[in-house]
Amino acid sequence: MKRITLLCIGLVLLSAAIHAQSFNARPQGTQKPPLHGKHWMAITGKPLAATAGAMTFQKGGNAIDAACAMLAATCTMWDVLSWGGETQALIYNPKTGKVIAINALGVAPTGATPEFYKGKGMQYPPEFGPLAAVTPGTPGGLCTMLAEYGTMSLKDVLAPAMQMAEGYPIEAQTANSIERNKALIKEWPYSKAVFLPHLGKDREAPVAGEVFKQADLLQTLQKMVDAEQQALKKGKSRKEAIYAAYDRFYKGDIAKEFVRGCKEQGGLITEQDLATWKVKIEEPLSVNYKGIEVYKLQQWTQGPAMLQALNILENFDLKAMGYNSAKYIHTLYQSMNLAFADRDFYYGDPAFTPEEPIKGLLSKEYAKARAKEINWERNNAKAAPGDPYPFEGKVNPFADLMKNWNQASLLHEDNTINEKYLADFKMGTTSVEAADKDGWVVSITPSGGWVPACIAGKTGVGMSQRMQSFVLDAKQNPFNVLEPGKRPRVTLTPGMALKNGKPFLSFAVQGGDSQDQDLLQCFLNVVEFGMTIQEAVEAANIVSYQMRSSFGNHDSKAGSVMLNTQTPNYVMKELRQMGYSIGLDERTAGPINAIYFDWEHGTFWGGSSNHGEDYGIGW
């Protein structure tokens, strides 16, 4: 009886402690406590990967070193991505006071044209397999971030990932995903050899806790480290040595085996494709929301859609509406639909023509014009792209395409949110957040090469599936039509915000097309409703399915919205009267990971998602 009493007291105290963290007048209960630290913070999608970040910090690394260690670990653990995927990052450099954007997204290979895929009877590039692959970007992205902004060697940063490749106890989430997808995995010989160690048995995938070994991947990582160490012995600098490892992956024996294995299985990637691909260090895009500078990657991602939505929402008194009231939900939904309709028509790789009207899209005047389009009585099931060109002093060259945009789409009358649609729309990845006492901050949304991945030869590297985010017809989006050498418009979208010139919030989330919906609401939860960062990452969000999915058949479900199961009946009733089709889920916030910067006390607050295995460590 005494033990039970003590346990109950402990639970009450824990609950009180969690609520006591809040500055909000109406605190939100959280399932996880907030993280605190004053030296560093490391948060990502897997406990072992967060530990890799903590180990790197403890060895004296900065936030870039730790973020790269976490990225390497998550790729090795197949945390809904792998080494052949893509890496997108925002980095705050305390030496310059600027936010830097890292574009390590692969490109369409030689021979990848609309005619090629249409000739195979496809409306879009496929979801899986070698023909879904753009060139790998993560190895180059990691090396570039480490070389340019880190302090440690590639050997030290990759050490945790290499130990994992040697063998680590696999967790249930990945093990069960392998088992569910084993029929497809068996189509690719190199994937089958890695993922299915128990062929012929009832369960052919590993079980949770089993030591999962990746000998080919370990050899690939060792080759990169060897290239670095050999360069150092020749007197090269740390930076030059890391780029020697980069070159071995993209131009050396690793590249040759990757291409051989890709082509053997029907893929298109050539050695020239790998050798000519480059990581880009770019200027991010930003808008000011009530004195806070919010940063996103350029329009080759969906990130600017969040910036557009903020511009629209700035015209309304959101706080007065009340958190998740029917009016607030309607305002969010309509604003997001307008911004995402623009995303679906105007976003693409800025390195290719035509030039996207991004200046007009992000102008405050355009946002005011879009805000006036909102119908306050009903959902607009035919929300369409606007015309940002006049806000750049230009005439829209695609006005005719825009007029027929809804008709040219593949909208389905059936608004059923089935398991396949949800899996496509919320296609997972992971997120990496790191910050240190010297002021470096990193926000990464890496992805690609998720299970079921087609592994390229004896490299152990799973190929990306990002090709499916292209369209094959300009009627759907003239800026995102497939072309060799071009980057697809992706959903991957880390976020960062500065206030008074200092880091305010660093945040990212997995979840395909829902990412910027989740991050938008997380930001508003903090800024408008005074939530702590842990409250904000767990709080009930809404998810609109009206924008077009970037995956599979690029479907749209007009008027469909996902609400939290705790949404009051009267709110749902009012939304149904406005034309919404409602689905319910216990957790609707998306697996958000974030860091809030408490400048008053000189500390970090970490928020780690309560969705699955997201985990953070601070000191």
Side-chain angles (χ1 to χ4, degrees):
M1 178 65 73
K2 186 176 181 182
R3 286 182 61 191
I4 295 174
T5 301
L6 289 173
L7 176 60
C8 290
I9 292 172
L11 290 173
V12 170
L13 289 173
L14 175 61
S15 176
I18 293 174
H19 282 282
Q21 300 289 343
S22 178
F23 296 125
N24 186 13
R26 298 179 62 187
Q28 305 292 310
T30 60
Q31 294 181 352
K32 283 184 175 181
L35 298 165
H36 292 283
K38 70 173 185 176
H39 300 285
W40 51 261
M41 190 69 66
I43 310 174
T44 190
K46 299 284 186 185
L48 284 177
T51 302
M55 291 164 59
T56 305
F57 273 128
Q58 292 291 67
K59 290 178 181 177
N62 70 2
I64 311 299
D65 301 317
C68 288
M70 288 189 281
L71 172 60
T74 57
C75 290
T76 303
M77 298 176 73
W78 299 88
D79 185 16
V80 207
L81 77 162
S82 74
W83 278 95
E86 42 273 351
T87 287
Q88 297 66 224
L90 292 171
I91 297 172
Y92 176 76
N93 184 341
K95 296 179 181 180
T96 63
K98 302 291 185 182
V99 179
I100 307 149
I102 302 295
N103 176 345
L105 173 63
V107 299
T110 301
T113 63
E115 293 71 29
F116 174 83
Y117 287 99
K118 287 179 180 179
K120 292 183 174 293
M122 299 178 183
Q123 292 179 314
Y124 298 95
E127 294 180 72
F128 302 106
L131 289 179
V134 295
T135 55
T138 290
L142 187 152
C143 288
T144 299
M145 288 190 290
L146 184 63
E148 299 292 336
Y149 310 109
T151 66
M152 299 175 73
S153 68
L154 185 66
K155 178 181 179 181
D156 286 338
V157 165
L158 291 189
M162 292 176 72
Q163 289 180 41
M164 290 178 177
E166 202 170 1
Y168 76 94
I170 195 169
E171 74 291 344
Q173 179 178 315
T174 301
N176 292 338
S177 178
I178 293 170
E179 179 66 15
R180 285 194 305 271
N181 290 284
K182 64 182 181 181
L184 197 52
I185 288 169
K186 287 179 182 179
E187 295 182 12
W188 309 310
Y190 302 103
S191 298
K192 182 171 67 173
V194 172
F195 290 128
L196 303 176
H198 309 300
L199 281 171
K201 296 184 179 179
D202 288 341
R203 183 183 175 99
E204 297 176 301
V207 297
E210 180 179 341
V211 175
F212 179 53
K213 299 179 180 180
Q214 302 172 76
D216 290 342
L217 177 60
L218 178 60
Q219 185 180 44
T220 292
L221 299 180
Q222 186 62 58
K223 286 178 178 178
M224 294 177 69
V225 168
D226 288 346
E228 177 199 45
Q229 295 302 303
Q230 289 165 11
L232 289 172
K233 288 178 181 178
K234 293 177 181 178
K236 300 293 185 181
S237 67
R238 184 193 73 90
K239 182 175 178 178
E240 290 170 330
I242 293 171
Y243 280 124
Y246 180 117
D247 286 343
R248 186 165 185 181
F249 188 95
Y250 289 95
K251 300 176 183 178
D253 54 343
I254 300 172
K256 290 182 183 298
E257 176 57 17
F258 184 97
V259 169
R260 187 202 65 78
C262 173
K263 288 192 169 183
E264 177 191 335
Q265 298 173 95
L268 299 174
I269 297 172
T270 68
E271 289 185 38
Q272 184 68 12
D273 292 329
L274 293 184
T276 56
W277 177 85
K278 299 291 183 185
V279 177
K280 296 184 178 184
I281 300 176
E282 301 176 336
E283 289 282 335
L285 298 172
S286 67
V287 299
N288 187 292
Y289 181 85
K290 299 185 177 181
I292 300 171
E293 293 290 332
V294 185
Y295 291 85
K296 283 287 180 176
L297 298 172
Q298 294 181 14
Q299 63 270 25
W300 52 272
T301 74
Q302 70 171 333
M306 177 179 161
L307 303 182
Q308 284 191 244
L310 283 172
N311 278 347
I312 296 170
L313 291 167
E314 196 174 34
N315 293 284
F316 309 114
D317 189 347
L318 301 180
K319 191 173 183 179
M321 294 179 188
Y323 170 68
N324 280 359
S325 66
K327 186 173 183 179
Y328 178 69
I329 291 172
H330 181 66
T331 305
L332 273 175
Y333 193 95
Q334 299 307 309
S335 299
M336 290 193 300
N337 285 349
L338 293 170
F340 276 85
D342 284 341
R343 177 205 75 167
D344 291 339
F345 187 80
Y346 289 112
Y347 290 16
D349 187 348
F352 283 71
T353 56
E355 180 183 357
E356 298 83 4
I358 197 65
K359 182 179 178 181
L361 288 167
L362 293 183
S363 73
K364 297 287 187 179
E365 293 75 17
Y366 178 63
K368 288 178 182 177
R370 292 293 264 166
K372 291 177 182 177
E373 297 179 35
I374 294 177
N375 181 336
W376 293 103
E377 304 300 322
R378 292 193 63 80
N379 173 53
N380 177 11
K382 294 185 178 180
D387 188 356
Y389 281 92
F391 299 87
E392 294 186 355
K394 301 175 184 177
V395 176
N396 193 333
F398 302 107
D400 290 340
L401 289 182
M402 191 178 69
K403 287 177 183 177
N404 299 316
W405 182 72
N406 273 316
Q407 288 72 26
S409 73
L410 294 177
L411 298 176
H412 292 178
E413 292 183 5
D414 179 12
N415 272 5
T416 304
I417 307 296
N418 56 38
E419 188 174 337
K420 174 66 169 62
Y421 175 79
L422 275 178
D424 285 345
F425 191 92
K426 303 189 77 171
M427 190 69 69
T429 174
T430 196
S431 57
V432 176
E433 297 292 327
D436 65 38
K437 60 181 176 56
D438 293 324
W440 288 97
V441 187
V442 190
S443 182
I444 311 177
T445 313
S447 190
W450 52 74
V451 175
C454 179
I455 292 177
K458 299 286 287 182
T459 63
V461 174
M463 289 186 276
S464 170
Q465 299 99 336
R466 195 57 58 177
M467 191 85 75
Q468 64 185 297
S469 293
F470 279 114
V471 299
L472 304 183
D473 192 330
K475 292 179 180 178
Q476 295 181 54
N477 179 343
F479 303 89
N480 188 39
V481 179
L482 173 62
E483 189 174 339
K486 190 175 185 178
R487 288 168 165 86
R489 196 278 299 152
V490 295
T491 55
L492 306 158
T493 174
M496 195 172 290
L498 305 186
K499 188 175 183 180
N500 299 322
K502 298 179 179 180
F504 172 74
L505 197 63
S506 181
F507 53 135
V509 65
Q510 68 175 45
D513 290 278
S514 64
Q515 288 181 40
D516 273 310
Q517 299 188 54
D518 286 325
L519 295 182
L520 171 67
Q521 292 170 80
C522 176
F523 176 82
L524 295 173
N525 288 343
V526 174
V527 174
E528 295 287 357
F529 299 104
M531 295 185 195
T532 68
I533 196 58
Q534 187 61 40
E535 290 173 333
V537 303
E538 289 192 29
N541 282 357
I542 69 164
V543 181
S544 167
Y545 298 116
Q546 186 154 312
M547 63 281 299
R548 297 179 184 179
S549 173
S550 302
F551 306 95
N553 290 323
H554 294 227
D555 291 338
S556 171
K557 308 290 185 181
S560 292
V561 61
M562 186 66 73
L563 303 179
N564 191 275
T565 51
Q566 296 182 6
T567 305
N569 287 331
Y570 67 85
V571 171
M572 291 193 282
K573 180 179 179 181
E574 191 172 345
L575 290 171
R576 288 192 180 99
Q577 290 172 344
M578 300 172 82
Y580 288 100
S581 174
I582 295 174
L584 297 174
D585 198 343
E586 289 184 5
R587 299 182 186 180
T588 52
I592 306 169
N593 289 317
I595 301 172
Y596 168 78
F597 298 85
D598 183 349
W599 289 102
E600 180 182 355
H601 302 103
T603 62
F604 307 115
W605 288 62
S608 180
S609 166
N610 64 331
H611 262 246
E613 296 170 334
D614 296 86
Y615 201 82
I617 304 174
W619 184 250

